Amino acid sequence: MTLTSSGLYCKQGDFHIDPWRPVRKAVVTHAHADHAYRGHDRYLVTKAGEKLARIRLDPASKIASQDYGKTTTVNGVKVSFHPAGHILGSAQVRVEYKGEVWVVSGDYKLTPDATCAPFESVKCHHFITEATFGLPIYRWPPTSQIFEEINSWWRRNIERGKASVLFAYALGKAQRVMSGIDRDLGPVFTHGAVERLTQAYRESGVDLPPTKYAGSVSNKKDFAGSLIIAPPSAQASTWLRRFGTQSTAFASGWMMVRGARRQRAVDRGFVLSDHADWPELLTAVRATEAETVYVTHGFAAEVVRYLNETGMNALPLKTQFMGDAADDMLDEESEPDVVKTEPSAKTEK
Ligand SMILES: [Zn+2]
Ligand SMILES: [Zn+2]
């Protein structure tokens, strides 16, 4: 594998992985905007992520899909997908040629998630890892605790006759939030961007509570006591007015950082991430037994330094997986518009 101006490239197989400039053959790890770019001639995606890819990419694109664990051989190069545990259909790409194995992990997490297949560790010679939350301060609280916090926040708002507006990235995070809420508390409404992707999750076999598109409701009163799930981009819009008296919250790994909570100007922050925290990152890297670790995204320099200090051979890799802040479609946590300093263990206001 080499890094070209278009992205990670396998010369022998003549394909790119998550390329950011138009190429002939793109193997795509998952449907987030900074990995699944439009404009490639052909795509190879996971079977589990195919519906999401078809929503996100040009409908006319040529998209082929492959099950996790299945291998195709391209000019002597074996290519297979392995679950990354990040969002529905997310994969690590394993590439083997003449006994040399590379694994491109895309984005991943080890924390169990009811909306996608669990991360699978794959042994390799060369491992490419993300480092979105690659600092020792990032340690996720147990998911069950976060869902309890979300449910009790919602319950309190019901008692006070308020709507609960929860901002979560439309692809992945929104559905993960739904998977953990108490379905008996009340109705769940969605922003259009969330609703469409949620429907694709259901069609892909993920069990989620019933939701209703908020745009189909005209009476403000109907929203009191309900939960509304919307993408972060809806926060600055007049869209919110329709919900009347409301409490707002944001679900993201960045909510561990007090500055980010303040910047988001929400009433509550819930620490819920689709990326590996520091211990998960080290666990995943070590389990590969890789002789070389390439680190990209986020805190690459810090992770490289730590791995080298602990006797591993690590190098930073300059990719463009951070995405483009100007891109409306960019809706995942690696969105670089939040403060990354002022760590705080507090999750409550
Ligand atoms: Zn992602
Ligand atoms: Zn990413």
Side-chain angles (χ1 to χ4, degrees):
M1 301 290 311
T2 52
L3 189 63
T4 72
S5 58
S6 303
L8 288 165
Y9 181 59
C10 172
K11 190 162 185 256
Q12 180 66 25
D14 188 26
F15 61 84
H16 286 79
I17 299 178
D18 291 352
W20 48 79
R21 287 209 185 123
V23 299
R24 290 201 310 118
K25 273 189 282 180
V27 176
V28 172
T29 60
H30 64 290
H32 274 148
D34 59 329
H35 298 260
Y37 282 83
R38 292 179 174 214
H40 307 311
D41 290 348
R42 283 168 189 280
Y43 292 84
L44 181 65
V45 302
T46 64
K47 193 137 253 163
E50 189 177 349
K51 281 192 193 298
L52 299 176
R54 288 192 185 279
I55 289 176
R56 285 309 184 83
L57 300 171
D58 191 327
S61 350
K62 291 185 184 123
I63 302 170
S65 66
Q66 184 172 310
D67 275 319
Y68 290 128
K70 285 263 172 7
T71 302
T72 41
T73 307
V74 194
N75 196 24
V77 181
K78 290 180 185 163
V79 181
S80 56
F81 288 124
H82 303 269
H86 172 59
I87 62 165
L88 177 64
S90 65
Q92 307 171 74
V93 182
R94 182 186 185 277
V95 176
E96 178 181 351
Y97 182 62
K98 289 187 174 170
E100 185 180 295
V101 179
W102 284 75
V103 170
V104 179
S105 62
D107 293 336
Y108 65 90
K109 73 170 179 296
L110 276 58
T111 307
D113 178 340
T115 66
C116 63
F119 178 88
E120 179 191 308
S121 178
V122 183
K123 298 226 185 321
C124 57
H125 300 99
H126 308 282
F127 184 56
I128 300 181
T129 182
E130 57 137 327
T132 305
F133 291 101
L135 284 183
I137 55 160
Y138 292 109
R139 286 161 205 269
W140 309 141
T143 313
S144 57
Q145 179 194 318
I146 299 301
F147 284 136
E148 269 169 38
E149 288 177 16
I150 293 174
N151 286 322
S152 59
W153 164 73
W154 185 10
R155 215 171 282 124
R156 254 198 321 272
N157 294 334
I158 292 170
E159 286 161 13
R160 292 168 190 175
K162 288 183 184 179
S164 301
V165 181
L166 181 51
F167 299 108
Y169 291 104
L171 174 50
K173 188 66 60 64
Q175 294 76 28
R176 187 162 169 225
V177 165
M178 288 173 197
S179 78
I181 56 164
D182 182 346
R183 299 181 183 205
D184 298 330
L185 284 183
V188 181
F189 292 100
T190 50
H191 183 277
V194 172
E195 185 59 26
R196 191 165 177 223
L197 292 159
T198 302
Q199 195 46 41
Y201 265 67
R202 289 194 188 98
E203 288 166 11
S204 303
V206 179
D207 175 41
L208 294 173
T211 54
K212 197 169 178 188
Y213 171 48
S216 67
V217 180
S218 51
N219 190 349
K220 228 186 205 181
K221 287 201 183 88
D222 293 350
F223 293 113
S226 69
L227 175 67
I228 297 114
I229 301 177
S233 56
Q235 197 187 357
S237 69
T238 54
W239 186 80
L240 288 179
R241 284 187 202 152
R242 72 185 70 190
F243 304 116
T245 319
Q246 58 193 258
S247 175
T248 55
F250 194 83
S252 166
W254 300 118
M255 290 299 112
M256 218 166 147
V257 177
R258 201 183 294 135
R261 264 202 317 281
R262 208 168 36 226
Q263 192 177 333
R264 286 292 182 182
V266 285
D267 299 322
R268 289 289 301 268
F270 299 114
V271 182
L272 193 68
S273 176
D274 290 338
H275 292 265
D277 66 1
W278 177 255
E280 287 178 36
L281 203 117
L282 299 182
T283 301
V285 167
R286 286 181 186 132
T288 64
E289 295 175 15
E291 56 195 50
T292 322
V293 179
Y294 295 90
V295 188
T296 176
H297 243 93
F299 299 101
E302 289 82 352
V303 171
V304 164
R305 193 181 318 125
Y306 181 85
L307 292 177
N308 285 331
E309 279 168 11
T310 53
M312 296 187 76
N313 181 28
L315 300 158
L317 190 69
K318 273 228 178 314
T319 63
Q320 293 184 12
F321 296 154
M322 276 298 277
D324 179 356
D327 183 353
D328 278 344
M329 292 294 282
L330 186 86
D331 59 356
E332 71 161 317
E333 270 183 340
S334 50
E335 189 176 15
D337 72 348
V338 289
V339 175
K340 292 188 185 178
T341 51
E342 289 192 73
S344 128
K346 278 181 71 183
T347 60
E348 298 289 309
K349 262 202 125 167

Coordinates of all heavy atoms in Angstrom, one line a residue, residues 221-300:
K221 N -48.0 21.3 20.3 CA -48.3 20.6 21.6 C -47.9 19.2 21.5 O -47.6 18.6 22.6 CB -49.8 20.8 21.9 CG -50.2 22.2 22.3 CD -51.5 22.1 23.1 CE -52.0 23.5 23.5 NZ -52.8 24.1 22.4
D222 N -47.9 18.6 20.3 CA -47.6 17.1 20.2 C -46.2 16.8 20.6 O -45.8 15.7 20.9 CB -47.9 16.6 18.8 CG -49.3 16.7 18.5 OD1 -50.1 16.9 19.4 OD2 -49.7 16.5 17.3
F223 N -45.3 17.8 20.6 CA -43.9 17.6 20.9 C -43.6 17.6 22.4 O -42.5 17.1 22.8 CB -43.0 18.6 20.2 CG -43.1 18.4 18.7 CD1 -43.6 19.4 17.9 CD2 -42.6 17.3 18.1 CE1 -43.7 19.2 16.5 CE2 -42.6 17.1 16.7 CZ -43.1 18.1 15.9
A224 N -44.4 18.1 23.2 CA -44.2 18.1 24.7 C -44.0 16.7 25.2 O -44.8 15.8 24.9 CB -45.3 18.8 25.4
G225 N -42.9 16.4 25.9 CA -42.6 15.1 26.4 C -42.0 14.1 25.4 O -41.6 13.0 25.8
S226 N -41.8 14.6 24.2 CA -41.3 13.7 23.2 C -39.7 13.8 23.1 O -39.2 14.8 23.6 CB -41.9 13.9 21.8 OG -41.5 15.2 21.3
L227 N -39.1 12.9 22.4 CA -37.7 13.0 22.1 C -37.5 13.3 20.7 O -38.1 12.6 19.8 CB -37.0 11.6 22.5 CG -35.5 11.5 22.2 CD1 -34.7 12.5 23.1 CD2 -35.0 10.1 22.4
I228 N -36.7 14.3 20.4 CA -36.4 14.6 19.0 C -35.0 14.4 18.7 O -34.1 14.9 19.4 CB -36.8 16.1 18.7 CG1 -38.3 16.3 18.9 CG2 -36.5 16.5 17.2 CD1 -38.7 17.2 20.0
I229 N -34.7 13.6 17.7 CA -33.3 13.4 17.3 C -32.9 14.1 16.0 O -33.6 13.8 15.0 CB -33.0 11.8 17.2 CG1 -33.3 11.2 18.6 CG2 -31.5 11.6 16.9 CD1 -33.1 9.7 18.7
A230 N -31.9 14.9 16.1 CA -31.6 15.8 14.9 C -30.1 15.9 14.8 O -29.3 15.7 15.7 CB -32.2 17.2 15.2
P231 N -29.6 16.1 13.5 CA -28.2 16.3 13.3 C -27.7 17.6 13.9 O -28.5 18.6 14.0 CB -28.1 16.3 11.8 CG -29.4 16.7 11.3 CD -30.4 16.3 12.3
P232 N -26.4 17.7 14.2 CA -25.9 19.0 14.8 C -26.2 20.2 14.0 O -26.4 21.3 14.5 CB -24.4 18.7 14.9 CG -24.3 17.2 15.0 CD -25.4 16.7 14.2
S233 N -26.2 20.0 12.7 CA -26.5 21.2 11.8 C -27.8 21.8 12.0 O -28.0 23.0 11.6 CB -26.3 20.7 10.3 OG -27.2 19.7 10.0
A234 N -28.8 21.1 12.6 CA -30.1 21.7 12.8 C -30.1 22.6 14.0 O -31.1 23.4 14.2 CB -31.1 20.5 13.1
Q235 N -29.0 22.6 14.8 CA -29.0 23.4 16.0 C -29.2 24.9 15.8 O -29.8 25.6 16.5 CB -27.7 23.1 16.8 CG -27.9 23.6 18.2 CD -26.6 23.5 19.0 OE1 -25.6 23.0 18.5 NE2 -26.6 23.9 20.2
A236 N -28.5 25.4 14.7 CA -28.5 26.8 14.5 C -29.7 27.3 13.6 O -29.8 28.4 13.3 CB -27.2 27.2 13.7
S237 N -30.6 26.4 13.3 CA -31.7 26.7 12.4 C -33.0 27.0 13.1 O -33.1 26.7 14.3 CB -31.9 25.5 11.5 OG -32.5 24.5 12.2
T238 N -33.9 27.6 12.4 CA -35.2 28.0 12.9 C -36.0 26.7 13.1 O -37.1 26.8 13.7 CB -35.9 29.0 12.0 OG1 -36.0 28.4 10.7 CG2 -35.2 30.3 11.9
W239 N -35.5 25.6 12.6 CA -36.2 24.3 12.6 C -36.6 24.0 14.1 O -37.7 23.3 14.3 CB -35.3 23.3 12.0 CG -35.8 21.9 11.9 CD1 -36.6 21.5 10.9 CD2 -35.6 20.8 12.7 NE1 -36.9 20.2 11.1 CE2 -36.3 19.7 12.2 CE3 -34.9 20.6 13.9 CZ2 -36.3 18.4 12.8 CZ3 -34.9 19.4 14.5 CH2 -35.6 18.3 13.9
L240 N -35.8 24.4 15.0 CA -36.1 24.0 16.4 C -37.3 24.7 17.0 O -37.8 24.2 18.0 CB -34.8 24.4 17.3 CG -33.6 23.5 17.1 CD1 -32.5 24.1 18.0 CD2 -33.9 22.1 17.4
R241 N -37.7 25.8 16.5 CA -38.8 26.6 17.1 C -40.1 25.8 17.3 O -40.8 26.0 18.2 CB -39.0 27.9 16.3 CG -38.0 28.9 16.6 CD -38.4 30.2 15.9 NE -37.2 31.0 15.7 CZ -37.1 31.9 14.7 NH1 -38.1 32.1 13.8 NH2 -36.0 32.6 14.5
R242 N -40.3 25.0 16.3 CA -41.6 24.2 16.3 C -41.8 23.3 17.5 O -42.9 22.9 17.7 CB -41.6 23.4 15.0 CG -40.7 22.2 15.0 CD -40.7 21.4 13.7 NE -40.0 22.2 12.7 CZ -40.0 21.9 11.4 NH1 -40.7 20.8 11.0 NH2 -39.4 22.6 10.5
F243 N -40.7 23.0 18.2 CA -40.8 22.1 19.3 C -41.2 22.7 20.6 O -41.4 22.0 21.6 CB -39.5 21.3 19.5 CG -39.1 20.6 18.2 CD1 -38.0 20.9 17.6 CD2 -40.0 19.6 17.7 CE1 -37.6 20.3 16.4 CE2 -39.6 19.0 16.5 CZ -38.5 19.3 15.8
G244 N -41.4 24.0 20.6 CA -41.8 24.7 21.9 C -40.8 24.7 23.0 O -39.6 24.6 22.7
T245 N -41.2 24.6 24.2 CA -40.3 24.6 25.4 C -39.5 23.3 25.3 O -40.1 22.2 25.1 CB -41.1 24.6 26.7 OG1 -42.2 25.5 26.6 CG2 -40.2 25.0 27.9
Q246 N -38.2 23.5 25.4 CA -37.3 22.3 25.1 C -36.1 22.3 25.9 O -35.6 23.4 26.4 CB -37.0 22.2 23.6 CG -36.3 23.5 23.1 CD -36.2 23.6 21.6 OE1 -35.2 23.3 21.0 NE2 -37.3 23.9 21.0
S247 N -35.5 21.1 26.1 CA -34.2 21.0 26.6 C -33.3 20.4 25.5 O -33.8 19.5 24.8 CB -34.2 20.1 27.9 OG -32.9 19.9 28.3
T248 N -32.1 20.9 25.4 CA -31.2 20.4 24.3 C -30.0 19.6 24.9 O -29.6 19.9 26.0 CB -30.7 21.6 23.4 OG1 -30.0 22.5 24.3 CG2 -31.8 22.3 22.7
A249 N -29.6 18.7 24.1 CA -28.4 17.9 24.5 C -27.6 17.5 23.2 O -28.2 17.5 22.1 CB -28.9 16.7 25.2
F250 N -26.4 17.1 23.4 CA -25.5 16.6 22.3 C -24.8 15.3 22.7 O -24.3 15.2 23.8 CB -24.5 17.7 22.0 CG -23.8 17.6 20.7 CD1 -24.4 18.0 19.6 CD2 -22.5 17.0 20.7 CE1 -23.7 17.9 18.3 CE2 -21.8 16.9 19.5 CZ -22.4 17.3 18.3
A251 N -24.9 14.4 21.8 CA -24.2 13.1 22.1 C -23.0 12.9 21.3 O -23.1 12.8 20.0 CB -25.2 11.9 21.8
S252 N -21.8 13.0 21.9 CA -20.5 12.9 21.2 C -19.4 12.6 22.1 O -19.5 12.9 23.3 CB -20.3 14.2 20.5 OG -18.9 14.2 20.0
G253 N -18.4 12.0 21.6 CA -17.2 11.8 22.4 C -16.6 13.1 22.9 O -16.0 13.2 24.0
W254 N -16.7 14.1 22.1 CA -16.2 15.4 22.5 C -16.9 16.0 23.7 O -16.3 17.0 24.3 CB -16.3 16.4 21.3 CG -15.6 16.0 20.0 CD1 -16.2 15.7 18.8 CD2 -14.2 15.7 19.9 NE1 -15.2 15.3 17.9 CE2 -14.0 15.3 18.6 CE3 -13.1 15.8 20.7 CZ2 -12.7 15.0 18.1 CZ3 -11.8 15.5 20.3 CH2 -11.7 15.1 18.9
M255 N -18.0 15.5 24.1 CA -18.7 16.0 25.3 C -17.9 15.7 26.5 O -18.3 16.2 27.6 CB -20.1 15.4 25.4 CG -21.0 15.9 24.3 SD -21.3 17.7 24.3 CE -20.5 18.2 22.8
M256 N -16.8 14.9 26.4 CA -16.0 14.7 27.6 C -15.2 16.0 27.8 O -14.6 16.1 28.9 CB -15.0 13.6 27.2 CG -14.7 12.8 28.4 SD -14.0 11.2 28.1 CE -13.1 11.2 29.6
V257 N -15.1 16.9 26.9 CA -14.3 18.1 27.0 C -15.3 19.3 27.3 O -16.2 19.5 26.5 CB -13.6 18.3 25.6 CG1 -12.8 19.6 25.6 CG2 -12.7 17.1 25.3
R258 N -15.0 19.9 28.4 CA -16.0 21.0 28.8 C -16.1 22.1 27.8 O -17.2 22.6 27.5 CB -15.5 21.5 30.2 CG -16.6 22.2 30.9 CD -16.1 22.9 32.2 NE -15.7 21.8 33.2 CZ -14.6 21.9 33.9 NH1 -13.8 22.9 33.7 NH2 -14.3 21.0 34.7
G259 N -15.0 22.5 27.2 CA -15.0 23.5 26.2 C -15.9 23.2 25.0 O -16.6 24.1 24.5
A260 N -16.0 22.0 24.6 CA -16.8 21.6 23.5 C -18.3 21.7 23.9 O -19.1 22.1 23.1 CB -16.5 20.1 23.1
R261 N -18.6 21.3 25.1 CA -20.0 21.4 25.6 C -20.4 22.9 25.6 O -21.5 23.2 25.1 CB -20.1 20.9 27.0 CG -20.5 19.4 27.1 CD -21.1 19.1 28.4 NE -20.5 19.5 29.6 CZ -19.4 19.0 30.2 NH1 -18.8 18.0 29.6 NH2 -18.9 19.4 31.3
R262 N -19.5 23.7 26.0 CA -19.9 25.1 26.1 C -20.0 25.7 24.7 O -21.0 26.4 24.4 CB -18.7 25.9 26.8 CG -19.2 27.1 27.5 CD -18.2 27.7 28.5 NE -16.8 27.6 28.0 CZ -15.8 27.1 28.7 NH1 -16.0 26.8 30.0 NH2 -14.6 27.0 28.2
Q263 N -19.1 25.3 23.8 CA -19.2 25.8 22.4 C -20.5 25.3 21.7 O -21.0 26.0 20.9 CB -18.0 25.2 21.7 CG -17.8 25.9 20.3 CD -16.5 25.4 19.6 OE1 -15.6 24.9 20.3 NE2 -16.5 25.4 18.3
R264 N -20.9 24.2 22.1 CA -22.2 23.6 21.5 C -23.4 24.3 22.1 O -24.5 24.2 21.5 CB -22.3 22.1 21.7 CG -21.3 21.3 20.8 CD -21.8 21.4 19.4 NE -20.9 20.6 18.5 CZ -21.0 20.6 17.2 NH1 -21.9 21.3 16.6 NH2 -20.2 19.8 16.5
A265 N -23.3 25.0 23.2 CA -24.4 25.7 23.8 C -25.6 24.9 24.0 O -26.7 25.3 23.6 CB -24.7 27.0 23.0
V266 N -25.4 23.7 24.5 CA -26.6 22.8 24.8 C -26.7 22.6 26.3 O -25.8 22.9 27.1 CB -26.4 21.4 24.2 CG1 -26.6 21.4 22.7 CG2 -25.0 20.8 24.5
D267 N -27.9 22.2 26.7 CA -28.1 22.0 28.2 C -27.4 20.8 28.7 O -26.9 20.9 29.9 CB -29.6 21.8 28.4 CG -30.4 23.1 28.0 OD1 -29.9 24.2 28.2 OD2 -31.5 22.9 27.4
R268 N -27.2 19.8 27.9 CA -26.6 18.6 28.4 C -25.6 18.0 27.4 O -25.9 18.1 26.2 CB -27.6 17.5 28.8 CG -28.4 17.8 30.0 CD -27.6 17.7 31.3 NE -27.1 16.3 31.4 CZ -27.7 15.4 32.1 NH1 -28.8 15.6 32.6 NH2 -27.1 14.2 32.2
G269 N -24.6 17.3 27.9 CA -23.7 16.6 26.9 C -23.6 15.2 27.4 O -23.4 14.9 28.5
F270 N -23.7 14.3 26.4 CA -23.6 12.8 26.7 C -22.4 12.3 26.0 O -22.3 12.4 24.8 CB -24.9 12.1 26.3 CG -26.2 12.6 27.0 CD1 -27.2 13.2 26.3 CD2 -26.3 12.4 28.4 CE1 -28.3 13.7 26.9 CE2 -27.4 12.9 29.0 CZ -28.4 13.5 28.3
V271 N -21.5 11.6 26.7 CA -20.3 11.1 26.2 C -20.6 9.8 25.5 O -20.6 8.7 26.1 CB -19.2 10.9 27.3 CG1 -17.9 10.4 26.6 CG2 -19.0 12.2 28.0
L272 N -20.8 9.9 24.2 CA -21.1 8.7 23.4 C -20.4 8.8 22.1 O -20.6 9.7 21.3 CB -22.6 8.6 23.1 CG -23.2 7.2 22.6 CD1 -23.0 6.1 23.7 CD2 -24.6 7.3 22.2
S273 N -19.4 7.9 21.9 CA -18.6 8.0 20.7 C -18.6 6.7 19.9 O -18.8 5.6 20.4 CB -17.1 8.2 21.1 OG -16.3 8.2 20.0
D274 N -18.4 6.9 18.6 CA -18.3 5.7 17.7 C -16.9 5.4 17.3 O -16.6 4.6 16.4 CB -19.1 6.0 16.4 CG -20.6 6.0 16.6 OD1 -21.0 5.4 17.6 OD2 -21.4 6.6 15.8
H275 N -16.0 6.1 18.1 CA -14.5 5.8 17.8 C -13.9 5.2 19.1 O -14.5 5.2 20.2 CB -13.8 7.1 17.6 CG -14.2 7.8 16.3 ND1 -13.5 7.6 15.1 CD2 -15.2 8.6 16.0 CE1 -14.0 8.3 14.2 NE2 -15.1 8.9 14.6
A276 N -12.8 4.5 18.9 CA -12.1 3.9 20.0 C -11.6 5.0 20.9 O -11.1 6.1 20.5 CB -10.9 3.1 19.4
D277 N -11.7 4.7 22.3 CA -11.0 5.6 23.2 C -9.5 5.2 23.3 O -9.1 4.3 22.6 CB -11.8 5.7 24.5 CG -11.7 4.3 25.3 OD1 -11.1 3.4 24.8 OD2 -12.4 4.3 26.4
W278 N -8.8 5.8 24.2 CA -7.4 5.5 24.3 C -7.1 4.0 24.7 O -6.3 3.4 23.9 CB -6.8 6.5 25.4 CG -5.3 6.3 25.7 CD1 -4.8 5.7 26.9 CD2 -4.2 6.7 24.9 NE1 -3.5 5.7 26.8 CE2 -3.0 6.3 25.7 CE3 -4.0 7.3 23.7 CZ2 -1.7 6.5 25.2 CZ3 -2.7 7.5 23.2 CH2 -1.6 7.2 24.0
P279 N -7.7 3.5 25.7 CA -7.4 2.0 26.0 C -7.8 1.1 24.8 O -7.1 0.2 24.5 CB -8.3 1.7 27.2 CG -8.6 3.0 27.8 CD -8.6 4.0 26.7
E280 N -8.9 1.4 24.2 CA -9.4 0.6 23.0 C -8.4 0.7 21.9 O -8.1 -0.3 21.2 CB -10.8 1.0 22.5 CG -11.9 0.7 23.4 CD -13.2 1.3 22.9 OE1 -13.4 1.3 21.7 OE2 -14.1 1.7 23.7
L281 N -7.9 1.9 21.6 CA -7.0 2.1 20.6 C -5.7 1.2 20.8 O -5.2 0.5 19.9 CB -6.6 3.5 20.5 CG -6.1 4.1 19.2 CD1 -7.0 5.1 18.7 CD2 -4.7 4.7 19.4
L282 N -5.2 1.2 22.0 CA -4.0 0.5 22.3 C -4.2 -1.0 22.2 O -3.4 -1.8 21.7 CB -3.4 0.9 23.7 CG -3.0 2.3 23.8 CD1 -2.4 2.6 25.2 CD2 -2.0 2.8 22.8
T283 N -5.4 -1.4 22.7 CA -5.8 -2.8 22.7 C -5.8 -3.3 21.2 O -5.3 -4.4 20.9 CB -7.2 -3.1 23.3 OG1 -7.1 -2.6 24.7 CG2 -7.6 -4.5 23.3
A284 N -6.5 -2.5 20.4 CA -6.6 -2.9 19.0 C -5.3 -3.0 18.3 O -5.0 -3.9 17.5 CB -7.6 -1.9 18.3
V285 N -4.4 -2.0 18.5 CA -3.1 -1.9 17.9 C -2.3 -3.1 18.3 O -1.7 -3.9 17.4 CB -2.4 -0.6 18.2 CG1 -0.9 -0.7 17.8 CG2 -3.1 0.6 17.5
R286 N -2.3 -3.4 19.6 CA -1.4 -4.5 20.1 C -1.9 -5.9 19.5 O -1.1 -6.8 19.2 CB -1.4 -4.6 21.6 CG -0.6 -3.4 22.1 CD -0.5 -3.5 23.7 NE 0.2 -2.3 24.2 CZ -0.2 -1.5 25.1 NH1 -1.4 -1.8 25.7 NH2 0.5 -0.5 25.5
A287 N -3.3 -6.0 19.4 CA -3.8 -7.3 19.0 C -3.5 -7.7 17.6 O -3.5 -8.8 17.2 CB -5.3 -7.3 19.2
T288 N -3.1 -6.7 16.8 CA -2.8 -7.0 15.4 C -1.4 -7.6 15.3 O -1.1 -8.2 14.3 CB -2.7 -5.7 14.5 OG1 -1.7 -4.8 15.0 CG2 -4.0 -4.9 14.5
E289 N -0.6 -7.4 16.3 CA 0.8 -7.9 16.3 C 1.6 -7.3 15.1 O 2.5 -8.0 14.6 CB 0.9 -9.4 16.4 CG 0.3 -10.0 17.7 CD 0.3 -11.5 17.7 OE1 0.9 -12.1 16.8 OE2 -0.4 -12.0 18.6
A290 N 1.2 -6.2 14.6 CA 1.8 -5.6 13.4 C 3.2 -5.1 13.7 O 3.6 -4.7 14.8 CB 1.0 -4.4 13.0
E291 N 4.1 -5.3 12.7 CA 5.5 -4.8 12.8 C 5.5 -3.3 12.5 O 6.4 -2.6 13.0 CB 6.4 -5.6 11.9 CG 6.0 -5.6 10.5 CD 6.8 -6.7 9.7 OE1 6.8 -7.8 10.1 OE2 7.3 -6.3 8.6
T292 N 4.6 -2.8 11.8 CA 4.5 -1.3 11.5 C 3.1 -0.8 11.7 O 2.2 -1.5 11.2 CB 4.9 -1.0 10.0 OG1 6.0 -1.8 9.6 CG2 5.4 0.5 9.9
V293 N 3.0 0.3 12.4 CA 1.7 0.9 12.7 C 1.7 2.3 12.1 O 2.5 3.1 12.4 CB 1.3 0.9 14.2 CG1 -0.1 1.5 14.4 CG2 1.4 -0.5 14.8
Y294 N 0.8 2.5 11.2 CA 0.6 3.9 10.6 C -0.6 4.5 11.2 O -1.6 3.9 11.4 CB 0.4 3.8 9.1 CG 1.6 3.2 8.3 CD1 1.7 1.8 8.1 CD2 2.6 4.0 7.9 CE1 2.8 1.3 7.4 CE2 3.7 3.5 7.2 CZ 3.8 2.1 7.0 OH 4.9 1.6 6.3
V295 N -0.4 5.8 11.7 CA -1.4 6.4 12.4 C -1.9 7.7 11.7 O -1.1 8.5 11.2 CB -0.9 6.8 13.8 CG1 -2.1 7.3 14.7 CG2 -0.2 5.6 14.5
T296 N -3.3 7.8 11.6 CA -3.8 8.9 10.9 C -5.0 9.5 11.7 O -5.4 8.9 12.7 CB -4.3 8.4 9.5 OG1 -4.9 9.5 8.8 CG2 -5.3 7.3 9.6
H297 N -5.6 10.7 11.3 CA -6.8 11.2 11.9 C -6.4 11.7 13.3 O -5.8 11.0 14.1 CB -7.7 10.1 12.2 CG -9.1 10.1 11.6 ND1 -9.3 9.5 10.4 CD2 -10.2 10.6 11.9 CE1 -10.5 9.6 10.1 NE2 -11.1 10.3 11.0
G298 N -6.9 12.9 13.7 CA -6.8 13.3 15.1 C -5.4 13.4 15.7 O -4.5 14.1 15.1
F299 N -5.2 12.7 16.8 CA -4.0 12.9 17.6 C -2.9 11.9 17.1 O -2.3 11.2 17.9 CB -4.3 12.7 19.0 CG -5.3 13.8 19.5 CD1 -6.6 13.4 19.7 CD2 -4.8 15.1 19.8 CE1 -7.5 14.4 20.2 CE2 -5.7 16.0 20.3 CZ -7.0 15.7 20.5
A300 N -2.6 11.9 15.8 CA -1.7 10.9 15.2 C -0.3 11.0 15.9 O 0.3 10.1 16.2 CB -1.6 11.1 13.7

